[in-house]
């Protein structure tokens, strides 16, 4: 029993942690030490810890952090293997914390860490539930952004207003602090897709949150490069869809359907090409069109709909083959229905569309199960 009393006694040596600062990292080796230095200065007098969440950085970020964490108990590290995504990384880091307040800040020094104590005070002292850093009010600013990026960001902000339960001037902000119990309440509803974790949070909370907005200026990246790529727009759309119609229909089904719709176009074009231009027998032209459409659908779904389980290299080829295989049943139905409609009713377009619809529904179910198997 003495042993357990000792353990309790030593655990109480340290003061309880007030604030966990979650820091998502992807190749930020040149930034994390400076960030920790700045956090230590900004948060002097606060009991804080930094929870880094690294998604397989290849520049030694995780190794560097491991070394730092060995010497400094305020530094913790979660390493995710085979995973990607800013939002989901932040959610996991936040859920691993036990402090009453959780903040999120980028590792690349673009966010102003000196607003963290103000955010903490607003929550601890003024009873706010959420404190956000905003670039769009009072003295806040987007720094050296060009007019193009500014316009896109503001347009995206306007698109988001219908799904927000709390009015925010800058729902795209990656700098904020929240009461942990508020986050836990919203956690089951989070979409966790893409970049916009704050927007996700206010859309997933059951009620409007007591919020304070603290202006800051978005800085310039010192080291490394932005991970924002052209998928960001798609991820943003996925978040908006998931938060609006996602309750009724899976976002992946919508994407598969849209791509399937484009596939119908490809199939029709190929059908006209084979049947009208090349004068092939209808059945041959239809088979050619279906194979072309399947390849098109596989390729697009692989880079868009299922990019979270994207097949590459040898797996791409076996994936394509399995897609052909699982869809061959759909294709038989596709060709069969198409030919049947053509025989009975005539009309190239009508027969092509009828075949494609029957094929696509089957394709979605079968390929989600066999081709893009969840790892
Ligand atoms: N773990 C993990 N996984 N971290 C990631 C990932 C990922 O897939 N992608 C990016 N990060 C980390 C980066 O290492 C960096 O610390 C932070 O997330 C932000 O990434 P940037 O690529 O620098 O994004 P940004 O500067 O264009 O945009 C940021 O600031 C905006 C304004 O606040 C993001 O936070 C945006 O969401 C935000 O709107
Ligand atoms: Mn950045």
């Amino acid at each position: 029993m003495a042993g357990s009393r000792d353990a309790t006694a030593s655990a109480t040596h340290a003061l309880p942690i007030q604030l966990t600062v979650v820091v998502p990292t992807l190749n930020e080796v040149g930034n994390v030490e400076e960030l920790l230095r700045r956090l230590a200065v900004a948060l002097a007098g606060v009991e804080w810890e930094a929870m880094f969440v690294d998604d397989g950085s290849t520049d030694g970020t995780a190794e560097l952090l491991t070394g730092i964490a060995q010497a400094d108990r305020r530094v913790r590290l979660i390493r995710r293997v085979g995973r990607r995504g800013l939002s989901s990384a932040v959610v996991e880091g936040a859920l691993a914390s036990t402090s009453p307040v959780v903040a999120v800040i980028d590792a690349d020094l673009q966010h102003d860490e000196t607003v963290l104590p103000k955010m903490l005070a607003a929550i601890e002292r003024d009873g706010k539930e959420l404190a956000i850093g905003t670039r769009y009010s009072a003295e806040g600013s987007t720094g050296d952004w060009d007019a193009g990026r500014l316009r896109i960001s503001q347009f995206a902000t306007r698109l988001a207003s219908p799904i927000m339960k709390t009015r925010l001037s800058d729902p795209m902000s990656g700098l904020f602090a929240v009461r942990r119990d508020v986050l836990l309440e919203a956690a089951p509803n989070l979409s966790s897709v893409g970049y916009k974790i704050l927007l996700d949070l206010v859309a997933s909370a059951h009620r409007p949150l007591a919020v304070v907005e603290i202006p800051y200026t978005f800085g310039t990246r010192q080291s490394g490069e932005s991970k924002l790529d052209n998928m960001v727009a798609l991820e943003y759309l996925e978040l908006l869809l998931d938060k609006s119609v996602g309750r009724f229909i899976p976002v992946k089904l919508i994407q598969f359907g849209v791509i399937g719709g484009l596939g119908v176009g490809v199939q029709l074009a190929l059908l006209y090409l084979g049947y009208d231009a090349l004068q092939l027998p209808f059945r041959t032209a239809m088979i050619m069109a279906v194979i072309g459409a399947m390849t098109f659908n596989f390729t697009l779904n692989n880079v868009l709909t299922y990019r979270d389980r994207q097949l590459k290299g040898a797996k791409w080829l076996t994936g394509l083959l399995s897609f052909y295989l699982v869809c061959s049943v759909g294709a038989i139905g596709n060709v069969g229905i198409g030919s049947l409609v053509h025989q009975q009713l005539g009309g190239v377009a009508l027969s092509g569309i009828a075949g494609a619809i029957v094929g696509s529904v089957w394709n979605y179910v079968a390929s989600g199960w066999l081709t893009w198997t969840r790892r």
Side-chain angles (χ1 to χ4, degrees), residues 63-132:
E63 290 70 20
L64 176 65
L65 286 169
T66 303
I68 297 173
Q70 278 285 303
D72 186 344
R73 292 194 174 210
R74 293 174 305 184
V75 180
R76 294 175 62 191
L77 171 64
I78 296 173
R79 298 174 82 146
R80 305 200 304 171
V81 178
R83 306 268 304 280
R84 269 307 263 293
L86 180 47
S87 282
S88 64
V90 165
V91 172
E92 264 161 66
L95 291 180
S97 75
T98 51
S99 58
V101 184
V102 179
V104 181
I105 193 168
D106 287 351
D108 59 7
L109 312 172
Q110 289 193 277
H111 287 160
D112 180 0
E113 75 288 344
T114 63
V115 301
L116 289 172
K118 295 181 210 164
M119 291 178 165
L120 181 65
I123 294 173
E124 276 187 340
R125 203 190 53 211
D126 309 336
K128 300 293 185 193
E129 296 174 299
L130 174 69
I132 73 157

Side-chain angles (χ1 to χ4, degrees), residues 24-26 28 53-55 80 84-86 89 106-108 110-111 135 149 172-175 195-196 216 218 221 225-228:
T25 58
L26 192 57
E28 303 287 1
V53 188
D54 189 81
D55 281 350
R80 305 200 304 171
R84 269 307 263 293
L86 180 47
D106 287 351
D108 59 7
Q110 289 193 277
H111 287 160
R135 299 159 292 174
R149 182 163 181 189
M172 309 297 156
S173 180
L175 175 62
Y195 253 58
K196 303 309 175 189
Y216 80 99
F218 197 63
R221 190 180 252 281
E225 54 193 41
S226 172
K227 282 81 202 177
L228 218 140

Side-chain angles (χ1 to χ4, degrees), residues 25-350:
T25 58
L26 192 57
N27 297 332
E28 303 287 1
V29 74
N31 291 319
V32 291
E33 285 173 295
E34 177 60 19
L35 177 72
L36 283 168
R37 258 192 298 276
R38 293 189 191 181
L39 285 179
V41 173
L43 294 171
V46 173
E47 287 299 317
W48 62 277
E49 66 175 1
M51 183 83 70
F52 288 88
V53 188
D54 189 81
D55 281 350
S57 291
T58 50
D59 66 350
T61 304
E63 290 70 20
L64 176 65
L65 286 169
T66 303
I68 297 173
Q70 278 285 303
D72 186 344
R73 292 194 174 210
R74 293 174 305 184
V75 180
R76 294 175 62 191
L77 171 64
I78 296 173
R79 298 174 82 146
R80 305 200 304 171
V81 178
R83 306 268 304 280
R84 269 307 263 293
L86 180 47
S87 282
S88 64
V90 165
V91 172
E92 264 161 66
L95 291 180
S97 75
T98 51
S99 58
V101 184
V102 179
V104 181
I105 193 168
D106 287 351
D108 59 7
L109 312 172
Q110 289 193 277
H111 287 160
D112 180 0
E113 75 288 344
T114 63
V115 301
L116 289 172
K118 295 181 210 164
M119 291 178 165
L120 181 65
I123 294 173
E124 276 187 340
R125 203 190 53 211
D126 309 336
K128 300 293 185 193
E129 296 174 299
L130 174 69
I132 73 157
T134 176
R135 299 159 292 174
Y136 293 132
S137 86
E139 305 87 60
S141 149
T142 45
D144 59 5
W145 275 12
D146 59 55
R149 182 163 181 189
L150 192 62
R151 220 172 312 122
I152 293 172
S153 179
Q154 285 168 342
F155 174 67
T157 305
R158 230 169 305 127
L159 278 185
S161 55
I163 64 164
M164 285 196 287
K165 298 197 181 71
T166 312
R167 285 249 136 263
L168 300 178
S169 69
D170 192 359
M172 309 297 156
S173 180
L175 175 62
F176 63 93
V178 62
R179 238 171 51 197
R180 200 172 51 89
D181 58 343
V182 171
L183 181 93
L184 282 179
E185 206 184 303
N189 295 334
L190 290 170
S191 304
S192 297
V193 1
Y195 253 58
K196 303 309 175 189
I197 176 62
L198 175 61
L199 176 60
D200 197 359
L201 180 67
V202 293
S204 302
H206 303 290
R207 57 191 165 80
L209 304 174
V211 61
V212 58
E213 304 200 338
I214 301 170
Y216 80 99
T217 297
F218 197 63
T220 310
R221 190 180 252 281
Q222 308 291 327
S223 168
E225 54 193 41
S226 172
K227 282 81 202 177
L228 218 140
D229 55 18
N230 36 24
M231 285 299 157
V232 162
L234 180 69
E235 286 170 348
Y236 185 61
L237 200 69
E238 286 176 357
L239 177 62
L240 293 184
L241 280 175
D242 194 43
K243 281 285 166 286
S244 47
V245 295
R247 242 168 307 154
F248 312 107
I249 179 166
V251 174
K252 279 195 167 25
L253 177 56
I254 300 174
Q255 289 171 295
F256 202 89
V258 170
I259 290 170
L262 296 175
V264 173
V266 170
Q267 180 172 327
L268 281 181
L270 290 174
L271 187 59
Y272 275 115
L273 182 78
Y275 187 63
D276 281 351
L278 302 177
Q279 305 275 298
L280 297 171
F282 183 81
R283 208 184 166 80
T284 313
M286 188 78 185
I287 290 172
M288 217 189 68
V290 169
I291 290 178
M294 280 199 304
T295 311
F296 171 85
N297 278 16
F298 172 79
T299 309
L300 239 57
N301 278 308
N302 192 49
V303 294
L304 301 175
T305 317
Y306 287 108
R307 66 187 182 289
D308 55 334
R309 311 173 207 169
Q310 198 170 42
L311 305 168
K312 286 176 185 158
K315 288 220 171 94
W316 188 91
L317 201 66
T318 52
L320 178 65
L321 294 179
S322 89
F323 191 73
Y324 282 159
L325 195 74
V326 293
C327 296
S328 61
V329 178
I332 291 169
N334 196 333
V335 175
I337 297 280
S339 305
L340 188 75
V341 173
H342 185 252
Q343 224 172 55
Q344 302 293 317
L345 306 168
V348 178
L350 181 69

